[in-house]
Structure formats: structure tokens, C-alpha cells
Coordinates of all heavy atoms in Angstrom, one line a residue:
M1 N 0.9 -1.2 0.0 CA 0.0 0.0 0.0 C 0.9 1.2 0.0 O 1.9 1.3 0.7 CB -0.9 -0.1 1.3 CG -1.7 1.2 1.5 SD -2.8 0.9 2.9 CE -2.2 2.0 4.1
R2 N 0.5 2.2 -0.8 CA 1.3 3.5 -0.9 C 0.5 4.5 -0.3 O -0.7 4.8 -0.6 CB 1.5 3.8 -2.5 CG 2.9 3.2 -2.9 CD 3.0 3.6 -4.4 NE 3.0 5.0 -4.5 CZ 4.1 5.9 -4.7 NH1 5.2 5.3 -4.6 NH2 3.9 7.1 -4.8
I3 N 1.1 5.2 0.6 CA 0.5 6.3 1.2 C 1.1 7.6 0.5 O 2.3 7.8 0.4 CB 0.8 6.4 2.7 CG1 0.2 5.2 3.4 CG2 0.1 7.7 3.4 CD1 0.7 5.0 4.7
P4 N 0.3 8.5 0.0 CA 0.8 9.7 -0.7 C 1.6 10.6 0.4 O 1.1 10.7 1.5 CB -0.5 10.4 -1.1 CG -1.7 9.6 -0.7 CD -1.2 8.4 0.0
I5 N 2.7 11.1 -0.2 CA 3.6 11.9 0.7 C 2.9 13.0 1.4 O 3.1 13.4 2.5 CB 4.8 12.3 -0.1 CG1 5.9 12.9 0.8 CG2 4.5 13.3 -1.2 CD1 6.7 11.8 1.5
G6 N 1.9 13.6 0.6 CA 1.1 14.7 1.1 C 0.4 14.4 2.4 O 0.4 15.2 3.4
S7 N -0.2 13.2 2.5 CA -1.0 12.8 3.8 C 0.0 12.6 4.9 O -0.3 12.9 6.0 CB -1.8 11.6 3.5 OG -1.9 11.2 2.3
L8 N 1.2 12.0 4.5 CA 2.2 11.8 5.5 C 2.7 13.1 6.2 O 2.7 13.3 7.4 CB 3.4 11.1 4.9 CG 3.3 9.6 4.9 CD1 4.7 9.0 4.3 CD2 3.0 9.0 6.2
I9 N 2.8 14.1 5.3 CA 3.3 15.4 5.8 C 2.2 16.0 6.6 O 2.4 16.5 7.7 CB 3.7 16.3 4.6 CG1 5.0 15.9 4.0 CG2 3.9 17.8 5.1 CD1 5.4 16.5 2.7
R10 N 0.9 16.0 6.1 CA -0.2 16.5 6.9 C -0.3 15.8 8.3 O -0.5 16.4 9.3 CB -1.5 16.3 6.1 CG -1.8 17.5 5.3 CD -3.3 17.6 4.9 NE -3.7 16.3 4.2 CZ -3.5 16.1 2.9 NH1 -2.9 17.1 2.1 NH2 -3.9 15.0 2.3
L11 N -0.1 14.5 8.2 CA -0.2 13.7 9.4 C 0.9 14.1 10.4 O 0.6 14.4 11.6 CB 0.0 12.2 9.1 CG -0.1 11.2 10.3 CD1 -1.5 11.2 10.9 CD2 0.3 9.8 9.9
G12 N 2.1 14.3 9.9 CA 3.2 14.7 10.7 C 3.0 16.1 11.3 O 3.1 16.2 12.5
L13 N 2.4 17.0 10.5 CA 2.1 18.4 11.0 C 1.1 18.3 12.1 O 1.2 19.0 13.1 CB 1.6 19.2 9.9 CG 2.7 19.8 8.9 CD1 2.1 20.6 7.8 CD2 3.7 20.6 9.7
S14 N 0.1 17.5 11.9 CA -1.1 17.5 12.9 C -0.6 16.8 14.1 O -1.0 17.2 15.3 CB -2.4 16.8 12.3 OG -2.2 15.4 12.5
I15 N 0.3 15.9 14.1 CA 0.9 15.2 15.3 C 1.7 16.4 16.0 O 1.5 16.5 17.3 CB 1.8 14.0 15.0 CG1 0.9 12.8 14.6 CG2 2.6 13.7 16.1 CD1 1.7 11.6 14.1
S16 N 2.6 17.1 15.3 CA 3.4 18.0 16.0 C 2.6 19.2 16.6 O 2.8 19.7 17.7 CB 4.5 18.6 15.1 OG 4.0 19.4 14.2
E17 N 1.4 19.4 15.9 CA 0.5 20.4 16.5 C -0.1 19.9 17.8 O -0.2 20.6 18.8 CB -0.6 20.7 15.5 CG -0.5 22.0 14.8 CD -1.4 22.2 13.6 OE1 -2.6 21.8 13.8 OE2 -0.9 22.6 12.6
N18 N -0.5 18.6 17.7 CA -1.1 18.1 18.9 C -0.1 18.0 20.1 O -0.5 18.4 21.2 CB -1.6 16.6 18.6 CG -2.9 16.6 17.9 OD1 -3.6 17.5 18.0 ND2 -3.1 15.4 17.2
V19 N 1.1 17.7 19.7 CA 2.2 17.7 20.8 C 2.4 19.0 21.4 O 2.4 19.2 22.6 CB 3.5 17.1 20.2 CG1 4.7 17.3 21.2 CG2 3.4 15.6 19.9
S20 N 2.4 20.1 20.5 CA 2.7 21.4 21.1 C 1.5 21.9 21.8 O 1.6 22.6 22.8 CB 3.1 22.4 20.0 OG 2.0 22.7 19.1
E21 N 0.3 21.5 21.3 CA -1.0 21.8 22.1 C -0.9 21.2 23.5 O -1.2 21.9 24.5 CB -2.2 21.4 21.3 CG -2.7 22.3 20.3 CD -3.0 23.7 20.8 OE1 -3.7 23.8 21.8 OE2 -2.4 24.7 20.2
Y22 N -0.5 19.9 23.4 CA -0.4 19.2 24.7 C 0.6 19.9 25.6 O 0.4 20.1 26.8 CB 0.0 17.7 24.4 CG 0.4 17.0 25.6 CD1 -0.6 16.5 26.5 CD2 1.7 16.7 26.0 CE1 -0.4 15.7 27.6 CE2 2.0 16.0 27.1 CZ 1.0 15.5 27.9 OH 1.3 14.8 29.0
Q23 N 1.8 20.2 25.1 CA 2.9 20.9 25.8 C 2.4 22.2 26.4 O 2.6 22.4 27.6 CB 4.1 21.1 24.8 CG 5.4 21.3 25.6 CD 5.7 20.0 26.4 OE1 5.5 18.9 25.9 NE2 6.1 20.1 27.6
K24 N 1.6 22.9 25.6 CA 1.1 24.2 26.1 C 0.1 23.9 27.3 O 0.2 24.6 28.3 CB 0.3 24.9 24.9 CG 0.5 26.3 25.0 CD 0.3 27.0 23.6 CE -1.2 26.9 23.2 NZ -1.5 27.4 21.7
G25 N -0.7 22.9 27.1 CA -1.6 22.5 28.2 C -0.8 22.2 29.5 O -1.2 22.7 30.5
V26 N 0.3 21.4 29.3 CA 1.1 21.1 30.5 C 1.6 22.3 31.2 O 1.6 22.5 32.4 CB 2.1 20.0 30.1 CG1 3.2 19.9 31.2 CG2 1.6 18.7 29.7
N27 N 2.3 23.2 30.3 CA 2.8 24.4 30.8 C 1.8 25.3 31.5 O 2.0 25.8 32.6 CB 3.4 25.2 29.7 CG 4.7 24.6 29.2 OD1 5.3 23.7 29.8 ND2 5.2 25.0 28.0
E28 N 0.6 25.3 30.9 CA -0.5 26.1 31.4 C -0.8 25.5 32.8 O -1.0 26.3 33.8 CB -1.7 25.9 30.5 CG -2.6 27.1 30.4 CD -1.9 28.4 30.0 OE1 -1.2 28.3 28.9 OE2 -2.0 29.4 30.7
K29 N -0.8 24.2 32.9 CA -1.2 23.5 34.2 C -0.1 23.8 35.2 O -0.4 24.1 36.4 CB -1.3 22.1 34.0 CG -2.8 21.6 34.3 CD -2.9 20.1 34.1 CE -3.1 19.6 32.7 NZ -3.1 18.2 32.4
T30 N 1.2 23.7 34.8 CA 2.2 23.9 35.8 C 2.2 25.3 36.3 O 2.4 25.6 37.5 CB 3.6 23.6 35.3 OG1 3.5 23.5 33.9 CG2 4.2 22.4 35.9
R31 N 1.9 26.2 35.4 CA 1.8 27.7 35.7 C 0.7 27.9 36.7 O 0.8 28.6 37.8 CB 1.7 28.5 34.5 CG 2.1 30.0 34.7 CD 2.1 30.8 33.5 NE 2.7 30.1 32.4 CZ 2.2 30.1 31.1 NH1 1.0 30.7 30.9 NH2 2.7 29.5 30.2
A32 N -0.5 27.2 36.4 CA -1.6 27.4 37.3 C -1.2 26.8 38.7 O -1.6 27.3 39.7 CB -2.8 26.7 36.7
A33 N -0.6 25.6 38.6 CA -0.3 24.9 39.9 C 0.7 25.8 40.8 O 0.5 25.9 41.9 CB 0.3 23.6 39.6
R34 N 1.7 26.4 40.0 CA 2.6 27.2 40.7 C 2.0 28.4 41.3 O 2.2 28.8 42.5 CB 3.7 27.6 39.7 CG 5.1 27.8 40.4 CD 6.1 28.2 39.4 NE 6.3 27.3 38.3 CZ 6.3 27.7 37.0 NH1 6.2 29.0 36.7 NH2 6.4 26.9 36.0
A35 N 1.0 29.0 40.5 CA 0.3 30.2 41.0 C -0.6 29.8 42.3 O -0.6 30.6 43.2 CB -0.6 30.8 39.9
R36 N -1.1 28.7 42.2 CA -1.9 28.2 43.3 C -1.0 28.0 44.5 O -1.4 28.4 45.6 CB -2.6 26.8 42.9 CG -3.8 26.6 43.8 CD -4.3 25.1 43.6 NE -3.2 24.3 43.8 CZ -3.0 23.1 43.0 NH1 -3.9 22.8 42.3 NH2 -2.0 22.4 43.2
D37 N 0.1 27.4 44.4 CA 1.0 27.1 45.5 C 1.5 28.4 46.0 O 1.6 28.6 47.3 CB 2.3 26.3 44.9 CG 1.9 24.9 44.7 OD1 0.8 24.4 45.0 OD2 2.7 24.2 44.1
E38 N 1.7 29.5 45.2 CA 2.2 30.8 45.7 C 1.1 31.4 46.4 O 1.3 32.0 47.5 CB 2.6 31.6 44.5 CG 4.0 31.3 44.0 CD 4.4 32.0 42.8 OE1 3.6 33.0 42.4 OE2 5.4 31.7 42.1
A39 N -0.2 31.3 46.0 CA -1.3 31.9 46.6 C -1.5 31.2 48.0 O -1.7 31.9 49.0 CB -2.6 31.6 45.8
I40 N -1.3 29.9 48.1 CA -1.4 29.2 49.3 C -0.3 29.6 50.3 O -0.6 29.9 51.5 CB -1.4 27.6 49.1 CG1 -2.6 27.1 48.5 CG2 -1.2 26.9 50.4 CD1 -2.6 25.7 48.0
A41 N 0.9 29.7 49.8 CA 2.0 30.1 50.6 C 1.8 31.6 51.2 O 2.0 31.9 52.3 CB 3.3 30.1 49.8
E42 N 1.3 32.4 50.3 CA 1.0 33.8 50.7 C -0.1 33.8 51.8 O 0.0 34.5 52.7 CB 0.5 34.6 49.4 CG 0.6 36.1 49.4 CD 2.1 36.4 49.8 OE1 3.0 35.8 49.2 OE2 2.3 37.3 50.6
T43 N -1.1 33.0 51.5 CA -2.2 32.9 52.6 C -1.7 32.4 53.9 O -2.1 32.9 54.9 CB -3.4 32.0 52.1 OG1 -3.8 32.4 50.8 CG2 -4.5 32.0 53.0
N44 N -0.9 31.3 53.8 CA -0.3 30.8 55.1 C 0.6 31.9 55.8 O 0.5 32.0 57.0 CB 0.6 29.5 54.7 CG -0.2 28.3 54.4 OD1 -1.4 28.4 54.7 ND2 0.3 27.4 53.7
K45 N 1.4 32.6 55.0 CA 2.2 33.6 55.6 C 1.3 34.7 56.3 O 1.6 35.1 57.4 CB 3.1 34.3 54.5 CG 4.4 34.8 55.0 CD 5.4 35.0 53.8 CE 5.0 36.3 53.0 NZ 5.8 36.4 51.8
Y46 N 0.2 35.0 55.6 CA -0.7 36.1 56.1 C -1.3 35.5 57.4 O -1.4 36.2 58.4 CB -1.8 36.4 55.0 CG -2.9 37.3 55.5 CD1 -2.7 38.6 55.8 CD2 -4.1 36.7 55.8 CE1 -3.7 39.5 56.2 CE2 -5.2 37.6 56.2 CZ -4.9 38.9 56.4 OH -6.0 39.7 56.9
N47 N -1.8 34.3 57.3 CA -2.4 33.7 58.5 C -1.5 33.7 59.7 O -1.9 33.9 60.8 CB -3.0 32.3 58.2 CG -4.2 32.4 57.3 OD1 -4.9 33.4 57.3 ND2 -4.6 31.3 56.7
R48 N -0.2 33.3 59.4 CA 0.8 33.0 60.4 C 1.1 34.5 61.1 O 1.1 34.6 62.3 CB 2.0 32.5 59.9 CG 2.9 32.0 60.9 CD 4.0 31.1 60.5 NE 4.8 31.7 59.5 CZ 5.1 31.2 58.2 NH1 4.5 30.0 57.9 NH2 5.7 31.8 57.4
S49 N 1.2 35.5 60.2 CA 1.6 36.8 60.9 C 0.4 37.3 61.6 O 0.5 38.0 62.6 CB 2.0 37.8 59.8 OG 1.0 38.1 58.9
R50 N -0.9 37.0 61.1 CA -2.1 37.4 61.9 C -2.1 36.7 63.2 O -2.5 37.3 64.2 CB -3.3 37.0 61.1 CG -4.1 38.4 60.6 CD -5.3 38.1 59.8 NE -6.0 36.9 60.3 CZ -7.3 36.8 60.2 NH1 -7.9 37.7 59.6 NH2 -7.8 35.7 60.6
L51 N -1.8 35.4 63.2 CA -1.8 34.6 64.4 C -0.7 35.1 65.3 O -1.0 35.3 66.5 CB -1.6 33.1 64.0 CG -1.6 32.2 65.2 CD1 -3.0 32.2 65.8 CD2 -1.3 30.8 64.8
E52 N 0.4 35.4 64.8 CA 1.5 35.9 65.6 C 1.1 37.3 66.3 O 1.4 37.5 67.5 CB 2.9 36.2 64.8 CG 3.6 34.8 64.6 CD 4.7 35.0 63.6 OE1 4.8 36.0 63.0 OE2 5.3 34.0 63.4
A53 N 0.4 38.1 65.5 CA 0.0 39.4 66.1 C -1.0 39.2 67.1 O -1.0 39.8 68.2 CB -0.6 40.2 65.0
Q54 N -1.9 38.2 66.9 CA -2.9 37.9 67.9 C -2.3 37.4 69.1 O -2.7 37.8 70.3 CB -3.9 36.9 67.3 CG -5.1 36.7 68.1 CD -5.9 35.4 67.7 OE1 -5.8 34.9 66.6 NE2 -6.8 35.0 68.5
I55 N -1.3 36.5 69.0 CA -0.7 35.9 70.2 C 0.0 37.0 71.0 O 0.0 37.1 72.1 CB 0.3 34.8 69.8 CG1 -0.5 33.6 69.3 CG2 1.2 34.5 70.9 CD1 0.4 32.5 68.7
A56 N 0.7 37.9 70.2 CA 1.4 39.0 70.8 C 0.4 39.9 71.6 O 0.7 40.4 72.7 CB 2.2 39.8 69.8
R57 N -0.8 40.2 71.0 CA -1.7 41.0 71.6 C -2.3 40.4 72.9 O -2.5 41.1 73.9 CB -2.9 41.2 70.6 CG -3.4 42.6 70.7 CD -4.5 42.9 69.6 NE -5.2 41.8 69.0 CZ -5.1 41.3 67.8 NH1 -4.3 41.9 67.0 NH2 -5.8 40.3 67.4
E58 N -2.5 39.1 72.9 CA -3.0 38.3 74.0 C -2.0 38.0 75.0 O -2.3 37.5 76.1 CB -3.7 37.1 73.5 CG -5.0 37.4 72.6 CD -5.7 36.2 72.1 OE1 -5.1 35.1 72.3 OE2 -6.7 36.3 71.4
S59 N -0.7 38.1 74.7 CA 0.3 37.7 75.6 C 0.5 38.9 76.6 O 0.4 40.0 76.2 CB 1.6 37.4 74.9 OG 1.4 36.2 74.1
M60 N 0.9 38.5 77.7 CA 1.4 39.5 78.7 C 2.6 39.1 79.4 O 2.9 37.9 79.5 CB 0.3 39.8 79.7 CG -0.3 38.5 80.3 SD -1.7 38.9 81.4 CE -1.0 39.3 83.0
S61 N 3.5 40.1 79.7 CA 4.7 39.8 80.4 C 4.4 39.6 81.9 O 3.6 40.3 82.4 CB 5.8 40.8 80.2 OG 5.3 42.0 80.6
V62 N 4.9 38.5 82.4 CA 4.6 38.1 83.7 C 5.8 38.0 84.6 O 6.8 37.4 84.2 CB 3.9 36.7 83.7 CG1 3.5 36.2 85.0 CG2 2.7 36.7 82.7
E63 N 5.7 38.5 85.7 CA 6.8 38.3 86.7 C 6.5 37.0 87.4 O 5.4 36.8 88.0 CB 6.8 39.5 87.7 CG 8.1 39.4 88.6 CD 8.1 40.6 89.6 OE1 7.7 41.7 89.2 OE2 8.6 40.4 90.7
C64 N 7.5 36.2 87.4 CA 7.3 34.9 88.0 C 7.2 35.1 89.5 O 8.1 35.5 90.1 CB 8.5 33.9 87.7 SG 8.4 32.4 88.5
P65 N 6.1 34.6 90.1 CA 5.9 34.8 91.5 C 6.9 33.8 92.3 O 7.0 34.1 93.5 CB 4.4 34.3 91.7 CG 3.9 34.3 90.4 CD 4.9 34.0 89.4
N66 N 7.4 32.9 91.6 CA 8.3 31.9 92.4 C 9.7 32.5 92.5 O 10.3 32.6 93.5 CB 8.2 30.6 91.6 CG 8.9 29.5 92.4 OD1 8.8 29.4 93.7 ND2 9.7 28.7 91.8
C67 N 10.3 32.9 91.3 CA 11.7 33.3 91.3 C 11.8 34.8 90.9 O 13.0 35.3 91.0 CB 12.5 32.4 90.3 SG 12.2 32.8 88.6
G68 N 10.8 35.4 90.5 CA 10.9 36.9 90.2 C 11.3 37.2 88.8 O 11.6 38.4 88.5
A69 N 11.6 36.2 88.0 CA 12.0 36.5 86.6 C 10.9 37.2 85.9 O 9.7 37.0 86.0 CB 12.3 35.2 85.9
T70 N 11.4 38.2 85.1 CA 10.4 39.2 84.5 C 10.4 39.0 83.0 O 9.6 39.7 82.3 CB 10.8 40.7 84.8 OG1 12.1 40.8 84.3 CG2 10.7 41.0 86.2
S71 N 11.0 38.0 82.4 CA 11.2 38.0 81.0 C 10.2 36.9 80.4 O 10.3 36.4 79.3 CB 12.5 37.6 80.5 OG 13.0 36.5 81.2
N72 N 9.2 36.5 81.2 CA 8.2 35.5 80.7 C 7.1 36.2 80.0 O 6.6 37.2 80.6 CB 7.8 34.6 81.9 CG 8.8 33.8 82.5 OD1 9.5 33.0 81.8 ND2 9.0 34.0 83.8
S73 N 6.8 35.8 78.8 CA 5.6 36.3 78.1 C 4.6 35.2 77.9 O 4.9 34.2 77.3 CB 6.0 36.9 76.8 OG 4.9 37.4 76.2
I74 N 3.5 35.2 78.4 CA 2.5 34.2 78.4 C 1.2 34.6 77.8 O 0.7 35.7 78.1 CB 2.3 33.5 79.7 CG1 3.6 32.9 80.2 CG2 1.2 32.5 79.8 CD1 3.7 32.6 81.7
R75 N 0.6 33.8 77.0 CA -0.6 34.2 76.3 C -1.8 34.0 77.3 O -1.9 33.0 78.0 CB -0.8 33.3 75.1 CG -1.9 33.7 74.2 CD -2.0 32.8 73.1 NE -3.1 33.1 72.1 CZ -3.4 32.4 71.1 NH1 -2.8 31.3 70.8 NH2 -4.4 32.8 70.3
R76 N -2.7 35.0 77.2 CA -4.0 34.9 78.1 C -4.7 33.5 77.7 O -4.8 33.2 76.5 CB -4.9 36.0 77.9 CG -4.4 37.3 78.5 CD -5.3 38.4 78.1 NE -4.6 39.6 78.0 CZ -4.4 40.5 79.0 NH1 -5.1 40.3 80.1 NH2 -3.8 41.7 78.8
G77 N -5.2 32.9 78.7 CA -6.0 31.7 78.4 C -5.1 30.4 78.2 O -5.5 29.5 77.7
S78 N -3.8 30.6 78.5 CA -3.0 29.5 78.4 C -2.0 29.3 79.6 O -2.0 30.2 80.4 CB -2.1 29.6 77.1 OG -1.1 30.5 77.2
T79 N -1.2 28.3 79.6 CA -0.2 28.1 80.6 C 1.2 28.2 80.0 O 1.4 27.6 79.0 CB -0.4 26.7 81.2 OG1 -1.8 26.7 81.8 CG2 0.5 26.5 82.4
G80 N 2.0 28.9 80.6 CA 3.4 28.9 80.2 C 4.3 28.5 81.3 O 3.9 28.2 82.4
F81 N 5.6 28.3 80.9 CA 6.5 28.0 82.0 C 7.6 29.0 82.1 O 8.1 29.5 81.2 CB 7.2 26.6 81.6 CG 6.2 25.5 81.6 CD1 5.5 25.2 80.4 CD2 5.9 24.8 82.8 CE1 4.5 24.1 80.4 CE2 4.9 23.8 82.7 CZ 4.2 23.4 81.6
C82 N 7.9 29.3 83.4 CA 9.1 30.2 83.7 C 10.3 29.7 83.1 O 10.6 28.5 83.3 CB 9.1 30.4 85.2 SG 10.6 31.5 85.6
Q83 N 11.0 30.6 82.4 CA 12.2 30.2 81.7 C 13.3 29.8 82.7 O 14.3 29.2 82.3 CB 12.7 31.3 80.8 CG 11.7 31.7 79.6 CD 12.3 32.9 78.9 OE1 13.5 33.0 78.7 NE2 11.4 33.8 78.5
F84 N 13.2 30.3 83.9 CA 14.2 30.1 84.9 C 13.9 29.0 85.9 O 14.8 28.1 86.0 CB 14.5 31.4 85.6 CG 15.1 32.5 84.7 CD1 14.2 33.4 84.0 CD2 16.4 32.5 84.4 CE1 14.7 34.3 83.0 CE2 16.9 33.5 83.6 CZ 16.1 34.3 82.9
C85 N 12.8 29.0 86.6 CA 12.6 28.0 87.5 C 11.6 26.9 87.1 O 11.4 26.0 87.7 CB 12.0 28.7 88.8 SG 10.4 29.3 88.7
G86 N 10.9 27.1 85.9 CA 10.1 26.1 85.3 C 8.7 26.1 86.0 O 8.0 25.1 85.7
S87 N 8.4 27.0 86.8 CA 7.1 27.1 87.3 C 6.1 27.2 86.2 O 6.3 27.9 85.3 CB 6.9 28.3 88.3 OG 7.6 28.2 89.4
A88 N 5.0 26.4 86.4 CA 3.9 26.5 85.4 C 3.0 27.8 85.8 O 2.5 27.9 87.0 CB 3.0 25.3 85.4
I89 N 2.9 28.7 84.9 CA 2.2 29.9 85.2 C 0.9 29.9 84.3 O 1.0 30.0 83.0 CB 3.0 31.2 84.9 CG1 4.3 31.2 85.9 CG2 2.2 32.5 85.2 CD1 5.3 32.2 85.5
Q90 N -0.2 29.9 84.9 CA -1.5 29.8 84.2 C -2.1 31.2 84.1 O -2.3 31.9 85.2 CB -2.3 28.8 84.7 CG -3.6 28.4 84.0 CD -4.4 27.4 84.6 OE1 -4.1 26.9 85.7 NE2 -5.5 27.0 84.1
I91 N -2.4 31.7 83.0 CA -3.1 33.0 82.8 C -4.5 32.8 82.3 O -4.6 32.2 81.2 CB -2.3 33.9 81.9 CG1 -0.8 33.9 82.2 CG2 -2.9 35.4 81.8 CD1 -0.4 34.7 83.4
D92 N -5.5 33.3 83.0 CA -6.8 33.2 82.4 C -7.1 34.3 81.5 O -6.3 35.2 81.3 CB -7.9 33.0 83.5 CG -8.1 34.3 84.3 OD1 -7.6 35.4 83.8 OD2 -8.7 34.2 85.4
M93 N -8.3 34.3 80.8 CA -8.6 35.3 79.8 C -8.6 36.7 80.3 O -8.5 37.7 79.6 CB -9.9 35.0 79.1 CG -9.8 33.8 78.2 SD -8.4 33.7 77.1 CE -9.0 34.9 75.8
N94 N -8.8 36.8 81.7 CA -8.8 38.2 82.3 C -7.4 38.6 82.8 O -7.3 39.7 83.3 CB -9.8 38.2 83.5 CG -11.2 37.8 83.1 OD1 -11.7 38.3 82.0 ND2 -11.9 37.1 83.8
G95 N -6.4 37.7 82.5 CA -5.1 38.1 83.0 C -4.8 37.7 84.4 O -3.8 38.2 84.9
N96 N -5.6 36.9 85.0 CA -5.4 36.5 86.3 C -4.4 35.4 86.3 O -4.5 34.5 85.5 CB -6.6 36.1 87.1 CG -7.6 37.2 87.2 OD1 -7.2 38.4 87.7 ND2 -8.8 37.0 86.9
M97 N -3.5 35.3 87.3 CA -2.4 34.4 87.3 C -2.5 33.3 88.3 O -3.0 33.6 89.4 CB -1.0 35.2 87.5 CG 0.2 34.5 87.1 SD 1.7 35.3 87.6 CE 1.2 37.0 87.9
Q98 N -2.2 32.1 88.0 CA -2.2 31.0 88.9 C -0.9 30.3 88.7 O -0.5 30.0 87.5 CB -3.4 30.1 88.7 CG -3.9 29.4 89.9 CD -5.0 28.4 89.6 OE1 -5.7 28.6 88.6 NE2 -5.2 27.5 90.4
V99 N -0.2 30.0 89.7 CA 1.1 29.5 89.6 C 1.2 28.1 90.3 O 0.7 27.9 91.3 CB 2.3 30.4 90.3 CG1 3.6 29.8 90.1 CG2 2.2 31.7 89.7
H100 N 1.8 27.2 89.5 CA 2.1 25.9 90.0 C 3.6 25.7 90.0 O 4.2 25.6 89.1 CB 1.5 24.8 89.1 CG 0.0 25.1 88.8 ND1 -1.0 24.6 89.6 CD2 -0.5 25.8 87.8 CE1 -2.2 25.1 89.1 NE2 -1.9 25.8 88.0
K101 N 4.1 25.8 91.3 CA 5.6 25.6 91.4 C 5.9 24.2 91.0 O 5.2 23.3 91.4 CB 6.0 25.9 92.9 CG 5.9 27.3 93.2 CD 6.3 27.5 94.6 CE 6.0 29.0 95.1 NZ 6.3 29.3 96.5
P102 N 7.1 23.9 90.5 CA 7.4 22.6 90.0 C 7.5 21.6 91.2 O 7.1 20.5 91.0 CB 8.8 22.8 89.4 CG 9.2 24.2 89.6 CD 8.0 25.0 90.1
E103 N 8.0 22.1 92.3 CA 8.2 21.1 93.4 C 6.9 20.8 94.2 O 6.8 19.9 94.8 CB 9.2 21.7 94.4 CG 8.8 23.0 95.2 CD 9.4 24.2 94.4 OE1 9.5 24.1 93.1 OE2 9.8 25.1 95.0
S104 N 5.9 21.6 93.9 CA 4.6 21.4 94.6 C 3.7 20.5 93.7 O 2.7 20.0 94.1 CB 3.9 22.7 94.9 OG 3.5 23.3 93.7
E105 N 4.2 20.4 92.4 CA 3.4 19.4 91.5 C 3.6 17.9 92.0 O 4.6 17.7 92.5 CB 3.8 19.6 90.1 CG 3.5 20.9 89.5 CD 2.3 20.9 88.6 OE1 1.2 20.6 89.1 OE2 2.5 21.4 87.5
G106 N 2.7 17.1 91.6 CA 2.8 15.8 92.1 C 4.1 15.1 91.6 O 4.3 14.9 90.5
N107 N 5.0 14.9 92.6 CA 6.3 14.3 92.3 C 6.1 12.7 92.3 O 6.1 12.2 93.5 CB 7.4 14.7 93.2 CG 8.3 15.7 92.6 OD1 8.4 15.8 91.3 ND2 8.9 16.6 93.4
N108 N 6.0 12.0 91.2 CA 5.8 10.7 91.4 C 7.1 9.9 91.2 O 7.3 9.0 90.4 CB 4.7 10.2 90.3 CG 4.9 10.8 89.0 OD1 5.9 11.5 88.8 ND2 4.1 10.5 88.1
K109 N 8.1 10.3 92.0 CA 9.4 9.5 91.9 C 9.4 8.6 93.2 O 9.0 8.9 94.2 CB 10.6 10.5 92.0 CG 11.0 11.0 90.6 CD 12.2 11.9 90.7 CE 12.3 12.6 89.4 NZ 13.3 13.8 89.7
Ligands
ZN201 ZN1 10.3 31.4 87.9

């Protein structure tokens, strides 16, 4: 069977068109995926900085009632630990402090 050279060329052209169309589609997809990833990273960054600002706003510097260290910053409504003596310092949402000295906690040794 003889295939006319014209159809072979047309076939070749249409294949290469398909390939480049496909390639374009792939590039389009990677570009879209990259844009999406960047958008997600941007959102994460934004959320993180908002969260950090919120934590900073809700945090208060606390003088440790146990050892007097003043460099502890603890978020309201959470419990932090004194960097020096390890006392657990609990701050409620109103900023009231409750301290649990390490030696007064249940020592199960
Ligand atoms: Zn302390």
C-alpha cells in the first residue's frame, strides 16, 4: 500500500500540532499549579503573621511569683513555663495568674 507523501506530511504536522498543544496545556497547568502554590504560601504567611500578632496582643509579660524572673511572656488563656525556675504559670482570659511551682506538683518519683 502506498501512502501519498502529502498525507504523511499532513499527518506529521497534525501530530506535532497536537504535541505542542499538549505541551502548552502542560505548561498552562504547571503555571496554574505554581500560582496556586504561591497563593497558598501567601495565605499561610498572612495567617501566620495574623496569628503571631494575635498571640502578641493576647500575651502579657509576667513576673514569675516563684523566682521573680520578668522575661516571661505568656498568652492569656494558656499556661506557660517560667524560663528560669520552670514554674507553670497559668493566665486566664482576664489576665489573672495562677502558679504551680514545680516542686509542689505531684512528684511521682
Ligand atoms: Zn520562675
